[in-house]
Amino acid sequence: MNAEPCTYVIFGATGNLSRIKLMPALYHLDVAKQLPEGTRIVAIGRRPWDQQKWLAEVRDMIQAKVKDDFDETAFQNFSQRLCYHRTDIQQPEDYKALAELLNGKQQFPRNIAFYLSISPADFGTVLEQLSHSELFDEEFGWRRVIIEKPFGYDLDSAQALQKRISHYLSEEQIYRIDHYLGKGMVQNVLVFRFANVMLEPLWNRNYIDHVQITHSEEIGIDSRGDYYNGAGALRDMLQSHLLQLLTLVAMEPPVSMEAEALRDEKVKVLKSIRPIPKEAVHAHAHRGQYAAGTIKGEKVKGYLQEEDIPAGSVTETYASMKLYIDNWRWRGVPFYMRTGKRMAKAQSTISICFRHPPLQFFRDTNVNCMNPNWVLLGIQPEECIKMEMTVKEPGLEMSTRSTTLDASFRNHDEKAIDAYEDLLLDVLKGDRSLFLRFDEVEHAWRIVDPILQTWAVERDFIATYPAGSWGPEDSRLFDKDNQTWRSSLTPECK
């Protein structure tokens, strides 16, 4: 697919996401000569800035990201693409002014991508006004809208949001962005699975004991107290990012890498997940909240002492869940997922545990216990694929140990690419394979809704865990006594 010149219109361009991710990503695409000739970037914000002030702000954003690698010539070239347009998104007349700018004499490309880096509560207002100003008219070029999560607060609100959005846009115009899917290692999961034929015969219930997906963070909630207390870990991470990782691990081979084929298979996985009845929620999900503790030698506050958090809050900062996929490949294999803030280490990993080998072959030797084989996929910060095997130790005795086959994702001289660079470029190409279709979003909400509804009425107690630990005790999730959380990418002795 070829990227076409386009006008990127970014609502919320003065906000945190734009500052930390979007502007640096667009700058890096420009430096890499990936932005098509003529592409322009229109920043929409309420602040009374002029063009000079906006360029100074963008310079600060880029310098904060690239630090000593800042290139003045490259920035001057990038700045030629930039335009600041002051807009109050609640004022209809401001959209008329925006339409005049985009349709005027400044030679903005007719293809337009609108990036809504704003509160979901404002999506409807902005889309309605853009529609009334005929800015979704595709007579002279395409129109695409990029929407940041959260896509609703629960199943009902997600459906209501979709109903409002689809009043103005077709599904083909909507790009629901999940930056997790833009990470190179996440995409490498697909390559690892479908480009290596030796794995496919083993990738099923006959050989795999269970699968674990972990996203842990050392940080707390920073200044997001208001948002986080209304969301919690289950909505913030599990319902979106980790369920997406599960679909990539569990999906059947798609007929091609074409967007709809890929997304069809992901939806099939979500549809196959066994529903959790409300009376079974406590057997399938667990929640916790961090208390005061120590991170990297420094004492940190508990969740209830954070800014903007009510004294009696039972919002979870840790959530774990067990799911079953009732299809031919995965029937009976538990998928365990967990996410938490203020945990012992910041990492995202997929850990696939194979069944224990039969031991009768070694019954007359010193080998009385062997670790199972594991496939470990490090998503961040360590991007890697590792396979743990059992080998004989050197010496006269028949003793064994685990060793690791390591397939590094990136060579030492290869730079990491931010997920947003990939995804922003895919919008220009019209490649929707790494963006979410609404039925994906809908089925993900159906999976977690019974848990959310149960936790919403149980407001008298929540388990706590010390900051800097691996979370609260939730071993009751596991089907077998020998199943425990895997927290390391190096061999763990059992």
Side-chain angles (χ1 to χ4, degrees):
M1 292 183 184
N2 293 322
E4 299 179 5
C6 129
T7 303
Y8 249 118
V9 180
I10 301 177
F11 285 84
T14 61
N16 201 44
L17 180 70
S18 176
R19 181 174 295 276
I20 295 174
K21 293 292 186 182
L22 302 184
M23 287 301 161
L26 289 165
Y27 168 78
H28 284 134
L29 286 173
D30 191 42
V31 170
K33 304 207 179 322
Q34 293 294 314
L35 285 184
E37 192 69 32
T39 293
R40 301 287 301 277
I41 300 158
V42 178
I44 304 294
R46 281 184 301 180
R47 302 185 190 191
W49 291 349
D50 58 15
Q51 182 72 359
Q52 187 175 357
K53 170 65 174 171
W54 173 238
L55 293 181
E57 289 290 325
V58 176
R59 177 190 290 272
D60 290 344
M61 297 176 194
I62 306 301
Q63 285 182 322
K65 192 75 172 181
V66 303
K67 297 183 172 62
D68 295 338
D69 292 332
F70 183 77
D71 184 323
E72 181 63 37
T73 303
F75 177 75
Q76 290 301 327
N77 292 335
F78 179 62
S79 68
Q80 302 301 310
R81 301 183 184 273
L82 303 178
C83 172
Y84 184 79
H85 185 73
R86 187 182 180 187
T87 301
D88 183 337
I89 61 175
Q90 305 299 332
Q91 299 300 321
E93 59 270 20
D94 284 10
Y95 292 87
K96 294 176 184 173
L98 176 60
E100 290 172 5
L101 172 73
L102 297 176
N103 296 326
K105 299 178 181 178
Q106 286 198 44
Q107 298 297 306
F108 288 98
R110 292 299 193 182
N111 296 323
I112 303 177
F114 297 96
Y115 199 118
L116 304 191
S117 178
I118 55 178
S119 166
D122 294 322
F123 287 171
T125 300
V126 172
L127 295 175
E128 180 181 358
Q129 293 300 331
L130 289 173
S131 179
H132 286 171
S133 302
E134 299 181 349
L135 283 168
F136 291 150
D137 187 343
E138 291 191 311
E139 183 179 354
F140 300 109
W142 50 250
R143 299 290 185 271
R144 294 166 187 163
V145 176
I146 305 104
I147 298 175
E148 276 279 344
K149 80 173 188 79
F151 314 115
Y153 183 78
D154 54 17
L155 178 60
D156 289 344
S157 61
Q159 290 171 332
L161 177 62
Q162 171 64 11
K163 187 174 181 180
R164 189 161 190 194
I165 291 173
S166 60
H167 188 68
Y168 307 107
L169 299 165
S170 68
E171 182 64 27
E172 289 69 33
Q173 292 177 291
I174 304 169
Y175 288 69
R176 296 176 193 83
I177 195 166
D178 184 338
H179 69 271
Y180 233 64
L181 295 182
K183 294 181 183 296
M185 187 58 211
V186 172
Q187 296 172 58
N188 203 27
V189 172
L190 292 174
V191 175
F192 177 70
R193 280 203 56 198
F194 302 129
N196 296 297
V197 73
M198 65 180 180
L199 292 169
E200 182 57 26
L202 309 178
W203 212 257
N204 58 58
R205 58 190 165 89
N206 296 322
Y207 296 96
I208 291 178
D209 182 71
H210 71 277
V211 177
Q212 299 182 21
I213 302 174
T214 293
H215 176 84
S216 56
E217 300 177 15
E218 291 176 342
I219 61 171
I221 58 170
D222 294 331
S223 58
R224 300 167 70 221
D226 274 342
Y227 163 75
Y228 198 87
N229 199 59
L234 187 64
R235 284 187 179 91
D236 192 45
M237 285 297 305
L238 248 165
Q239 181 273 338
S240 52
H241 302 326
L242 299 199
L243 274 177
Q244 284 296 314
L245 292 182
L246 180 147
T247 62
L248 297 180
V249 171
M251 66 192 283
E252 295 299 318
V255 294
S256 72
M257 281 293 286
E258 187 266 331
E260 294 314 305
L262 191 65
R263 299 197 293 185
D264 284 345
E265 295 302 333
K266 288 164 66 182
V267 170
K268 286 179 187 176
V269 173
L270 295 173
K271 283 183 175 180
S272 299
I273 289 176
R274 188 185 304 171
I276 301 172
K278 285 189 180 179
E279 61 271 18
V281 161
H282 293 300
H284 285 261
H286 192 74
R287 62 177 171 168
Q289 191 182 85
Y290 65 80
T294 304
I295 301 280
K296 292 184 176 177
E298 291 188 14
K299 291 184 177 180
V300 296
K301 294 184 289 190
Y303 180 73
L304 295 180
Q305 286 74 55
E306 299 280 16
E307 190 177 343
D308 297 325
I309 301 302
S313 172
V314 290
T315 296
E316 78 283 357
T317 62
Y318 172 97
S320 57
M321 187 163 64
K322 172 173 64 178
L323 296 174
Y324 296 97
I325 301 170
D326 285 340
N327 61 16
W328 186 269
R329 185 185 290 265
W330 296 111
R331 175 85 183 185
V333 176
F335 283 71
Y336 303 110
M337 299 188 291
R338 63 172 170 166
T339 183
K341 291 190 174 294
R342 289 291 190 213
M343 293 180 72
K345 186 178 180 182
Q347 64 179 20
S348 293
T349 57
I350 300 170
S351 305
I352 296 146
C353 181
F354 286 78
R355 292 183 179 276
H356 271 278
L359 285 171
Q360 65 269 26
F361 176 72
F362 298 100
R363 60 180 175 269
D364 296 323
T365 71
N366 290 334
V367 177
N368 53 24
C369 181
M370 283 192 293
N371 290 339
N373 299 135
W374 289 80
V375 169
L376 306 170
L377 307 172
I379 307 297
Q380 66 178 35
E382 186 177 351
E383 297 175 311
C384 63
I385 296 173
K386 298 186 177 188
M387 301 176 71
E388 282 186 11
M389 315 288 287
T390 299
V391 298
K392 180 186 176 299
E393 286 186 335
L396 300 176
E397 298 288 339
M398 174 56 82
S399 301
T400 61
R401 66 185 177 198
S402 291
T403 190
T404 303
L405 306 178
D406 194 341
S408 296
F409 169 54
R410 180 180 295 107
N411 295 329
H412 294 300
D413 59 341
E414 294 173 328
K415 285 188 176 180
I417 295 175
D418 188 86
Y420 278 94
E421 294 176 41
D422 243 345
L423 295 169
L424 290 170
L425 187 59
D426 282 349
V427 173
L428 299 187
K429 295 176 179 177
D431 182 354
R432 301 166 67 230
S433 56
L434 296 178
F435 296 84
L436 305 187
R437 205 165 64 191
F438 180 66
D439 52 354
E440 286 182 74
V441 176
E442 188 173 32
H443 285 289
W445 279 120
R446 288 186 193 279
I447 292 163
V448 303
D449 246 23
I451 302 171
L452 291 170
Q453 290 166 11
T454 301
W455 287 355
V457 297
E458 295 178 349
R459 306 199 60 80
D460 54 343
F461 171 78
I462 184 169
T464 60
Y465 59 97
S469 69
W470 279 109
E473 168 59 37
D474 58 356
S475 59
R476 60 181 169 77
L477 279 185
F478 292 101
D479 282 359
K480 303 174 185 174
D481 291 340
N482 63 356
Q483 292 176 349
T484 56
W485 287 116
R486 171 97 193 210
S487 299
S488 173
L489 289 170
T490 56
E492 294 183 338
C493 296
K494 300 292 184 193

